[in-house]
Amino acid sequence: MKYPIKNINKYSLSAAALIAVLGLSGCSDNNNSPSPEPTPTPTPDTVMQTYSVTVTNLTANQPMSPIAIAVHSNDVMLWQAGESANVALEKIAEGGDSSDVAAIEGIEVTASGAGILMPGMSETITITLDEADVANLTVATMLVNTNDAFTGLNSYDISMLAVDTMVAMKGMVYDAGTEANTEEKGTMPGPADGGEGFNETRDDVDFVHIHPGVITMYDGLMDSVLTPSHRFDNPAIAISISRTQ
């Protein structure tokens, strides 16, 4: 038995139309579905670097104020020979007070020793820095049995130190040039005198220079309270810097 051709065509067209309608409905549903949330871009981990700074007091009888460490941009200098000392340096050199260092423009990180560094003793201070803060490092401390003597390391570039490498150097003694070296009773904060620390009055040459050394009462400076044990030669400190991470 044969079916008319036209019935077959009609059935086929109806099925095709139904499929087309279902297809359109499916597309409409997909268009109304919520868009997926974008995948967040991962934030890179912060890279940290760790350094150990060891300072050794090489003098016979000059205790040193708590070691001050500053990390800063390469255009910062805590002192410059031949130029006037800033107030932050004056406070270190006259009274061992490094609290103003952090306020100097360009200084990113500061650290301080635990206390007085006695003759022959060493102290290690560890600093951990964000990679972006790694630049130059400064160390400063006062010889407390003096009027305004200080020593340290001025703006040393640590950015090139590789992990597990170490550099060693020694520090000269400077005179801040802010207070006359009278060595008189009441003018020095160390145990040889127990006198005044910082005084904003400047009665010396008012520029930083290599310290000429103390004279003492035994050398003819009659008003001095210092003895030959308080003399010092250069260098006065040894400094080593190691990168450990």
Side-chain angles (χ1 to χ4, degrees), residues 135-222:
N136 286 25
L137 181 142
T138 289
V139 178
T141 179
M142 177 194 184
L143 283 66
V144 297
N145 286 327
T146 67
N147 289 102
D148 61 344
F150 71 97
T151 185
L153 175 65
N154 196 15
S155 196
Y156 182 82
D157 183 3
I158 60 173
S159 65
M160 301 303 291
L161 278 179
V163 176
D164 296 329
T165 60
M166 185 267 288
V167 292
M169 59 212 76
K170 292 181 169 65
M172 306 283 284
V173 180
Y174 292 88
D175 189 320
T178 57
E179 182 177 311
N181 298 326
T182 63
E183 304 175 19
E184 292 178 356
K185 184 172 180 58
T187 66
M188 296 172 289
D193 180 22
E196 180 183 58
F198 168 69
N199 186 321
E200 63 182 6
T201 301
R202 296 194 174 193
D203 58 1
D204 200 5
V205 295
D206 202 18
F207 61 84
V208 177
H209 55 280
I210 295 295
H211 203 289
V214 297
I215 299 177
T216 84
M217 64 180 73
Y218 293 92
D219 299 317
L221 188 58
M222 300 307 297

Side-chain angles (χ1 to χ4, degrees), residues 12-26:
S12 300
L13 290 173
S14 299
L18 178 61
I19 292 170
V21 170
L22 291 175
L24 290 173
S25 299

Side-chain angles (χ1 to χ4, degrees), residues 79-121:
W79 70 88
Q80 185 70 50
E83 296 185 5
S84 181
N86 57 45
V87 175
L89 178 64
E90 181 182 9
K91 288 185 176 182
I92 293 175
E94 293 183 10
D97 176 9
S98 62
S99 59
D100 280 10
V101 172
I104 297 175
E105 184 177 359
I107 288 184
E108 304 293 341
V109 178
T110 58
S112 181
I116 295 293
L117 184 63
M118 298 301 291
M121 302 300 292

Side-chain angles (χ1 to χ4, degrees), residues 113-136:
I116 295 293
L117 184 63
M118 298 301 291
M121 302 300 292
S122 298
E123 181 177 13
T124 298
I125 302 169
T126 299
I127 53 173
T128 299
L129 309 169
D130 187 303
E131 186 177 36
D133 292 332
V134 175
N136 286 25

